[in-house]
Amino acid sequence: MIADTLQPVVHHGGCAAVVCATVADAQDTYAYLCSIWAGPAHDLVLVHGRVGERRRQNTLADLRRELGPAGPRPLRRVVVTTSLLDMSLDIDVDVMVSDLASAARLLQRLGRLGRFTRRWAGQSRRPVWWDGDDSPTLTVLHPVNSRGATSLPPGWGTIEPPVTLHETARLLPQLEKKPLVVPDDVQALVEQVHGVTSGFAAETARLQRMAAAHRGRTSRLQQLSALHLVPPPKRVSSLADLHRQYLTTAQAATRPGVLPRRVLPCYRTADGLLTLDAAGLVPLPDQEHLSPRQLRSILEHTVPVPAAWAARAGARHQPPASWKQHPMLTDTLLLPTPLVTRESECDRGEQFGHHWLRMDDELGLLHHKQQ
């Protein structure tokens, strides 16, 4: 389906976005497109959150320049990404493919489809196959089982409430009948999925259980947040009031369902020296007092991962002892890659209990769970 939708871009140029539900899906999709792509390799771009901050920001800056309102639009570009598109990119694409997502997220992604059409009126910035009299199309990939019913992949468990994905999937066939007018149709569509009047969750016992489980998870996160919430000034009588509960990074979710831990991909030379770069020219800083430049360099190379992936770290994954004294580095773990084997396709990476992690130069951080 993805390859068929991208055929006009392949043969006649244009810019497209393929938005995947998870980083692993984005990596697999990018690898698949690379295997069938006949054009220049730089026409395909992969961007997600499982790479170092510096690399991600450089890629995003390139996309904003090329696909932004004033940049020199490339002849052809296909961006494979994740929900990063929903919040970080002010870009315009001619066609879009997306994994199933809630109505709210799909509408957010629609904002990047033909985004600057009115601004570019009278300019030849669109490909030859672009139909100015018709609306651009968002193709949504609907996961189904052998019976044709919605069946969410196991890896999608913590992305969005399953009940909202099922409701959105039910509404999609209705949206194919006529164009969606933005913003006129937005409010009614969102209310059908997310509003208090939506009765979809009560249609079957299975969906009722999904909705109840979602409400339970939300309540637990809200309760945890309330326990650790910093009180207002008028309720603080001593510093002890600011430390009522012991909170670790493994408990503090940056967003629902995500408990972060930072790993630092690095490289081990033949003589055992750890470096930040594959060329072995930038040694890992290890001194009592780190300069702001050294600290910034370390943090720009770190990658956030779910805490469960790195829960069983070994001694080889521990950072230098001097880092333990720094509040921004104390919980960082190392992900060393031997330089002599980094090109081997058989290298599974570093083992953290049942989880294997490996930093790939092109795909980013790869994760594999041993069954």
Side-chain angles (χ1 to χ4, degrees):
M1 174 62 75
I2 296 178
D4 293 340
T5 305
L6 297 180
Q7 284 304 306
V9 176
V10 174
H11 295 295
H12 305 290
C15 300
V18 181
V19 190
C20 301
T22 67
V23 173
D25 291 339
Q27 291 170 331
D28 291 342
T29 300
Y30 177 81
Y32 164 71
L33 291 176
C34 286
S35 68
I36 64 172
W37 196 258
H42 64 261
D43 285 347
L44 294 175
V45 178
L46 175 65
V47 54
H48 54 72
R50 210 176 291 167
V51 296
E53 179 69 17
R54 177 182 298 177
R55 172 180 167 183
R56 180 171 66 253
Q57 291 303 327
N58 288 341
T59 304
L60 291 176
D62 291 341
L63 291 177
R64 291 189 184 100
R65 184 179 64 255
E66 294 177 345
L67 306 183
R73 199 166 178 83
L75 173 64
R76 184 183 293 103
R77 191 72 81 242
V78 176
V79 182
V80 182
T81 183
T82 60
S83 58
L84 200 65
L85 177 75
D86 304 344
M87 61 194 77
S88 302
L89 295 177
D90 181 24
I91 63 174
D92 175 297
V93 295
D94 306 311
V95 64
M96 182 181 294
V97 182
S98 172
D99 275 335
L100 178 65
S102 65
R105 282 201 174 184
L106 291 178
L107 289 168
Q108 183 76 10
R109 291 169 190 176
L110 274 175
R112 277 73 178 175
L113 186 58
R115 186 179 184 90
F116 308 126
T117 297
R118 291 186 178 181
R119 180 181 298 189
W120 294 346
Q123 303 181 34
S124 57
R125 293 200 173 200
R126 297 295 181 189
V128 294
W129 51 266
W130 174 271
D131 187 352
D133 298 326
D134 200 359
S135 302
T137 302
L138 167 63
T139 301
V140 180
L141 305 179
H142 182 193
V144 297
N145 57 22
S146 58
R147 300 186 300 275
T150 301
S151 179
L152 305 180
W156 291 16
T158 60
I159 299 174
E160 291 189 276
V163 65
T164 63
L165 297 180
H166 280 263
E167 167 69 338
T168 302
R170 184 179 73 94
L171 293 176
L172 287 177
Q174 303 176 24
L175 300 178
E176 287 183 323
K177 299 176 182 179
K178 62 178 182 178
L180 182 67
V181 180
V182 178
D184 301 20
D185 298 336
V186 169
Q187 185 63 32
L189 181 60
V190 172
E191 288 294 333
Q192 290 186 63
V193 178
H194 304 276
V196 294
T197 59
S198 176
F200 178 66
E203 290 189 3
T204 68
R206 179 167 175 262
L207 292 176
Q208 287 179 354
R209 291 193 298 270
M210 286 183 182
H214 169 59
R215 288 193 293 269
R217 285 193 299 268
T218 302
S219 297
R220 288 195 298 271
L221 290 172
Q222 290 174 340
Q223 179 65 18
L224 179 63
S225 177
L227 287 173
H228 298 288
L229 185 67
V230 176
K234 63 182 180 180
R235 292 179 52 194
V236 177
S237 59
S238 68
L239 290 177
D241 291 331
L242 300 178
H243 302 276
R244 293 173 296 171
Q245 300 287 334
Y246 180 69
L247 182 66
T248 66
T249 55
Q251 294 174 308
T254 53
R255 61 183 186 271
V258 179
L259 301 176
R261 189 71 186 266
R262 286 197 166 270
V263 298
L264 175 65
C266 54
Y267 303 92
R268 190 185 302 277
T269 63
D271 56 1
L273 177 67
L274 292 175
T275 66
L276 289 174
D277 64 323
L281 301 178
V282 184
L284 203 67
D286 182 9
Q287 56 197 62
E288 184 176 356
H289 300 290
L290 297 174
S291 67
R293 182 177 181 180
Q294 290 174 319
L295 179 61
R296 188 182 305 112
S297 178
I298 294 172
L299 294 176
E300 286 178 344
H301 284 82
T302 59
V303 180
V305 300
W309 291 6
R312 298 179 62 181
R316 60 187 280 110
H317 305 126
Q318 300 305 316
S322 60
W323 292 16
K324 292 296 183 181
Q325 306 303 318
H326 200 290
M328 301 185 71
L329 300 177
T330 182
D331 290 330
T332 303
L333 295 175
L334 302 183
L335 182 63
T337 299
L339 287 176
V340 293
T341 61
R342 59 185 300 264
E343 298 296 336
S344 173
E345 296 181 356
C346 299
D347 182 20
R348 299 180 63 183
E350 286 292 310
Q351 184 176 11
F352 295 80
H354 296 294
H355 299 270
W356 292 80
L357 300 177
R358 179 170 67 89
M359 177 57 75
D360 184 89
D361 292 340
E362 188 173 12
L363 299 178
L365 187 67
L366 301 176
H367 167 254
H368 171 72
K369 184 176 181 181
Q370 186 176 6
Q371 302 297 330

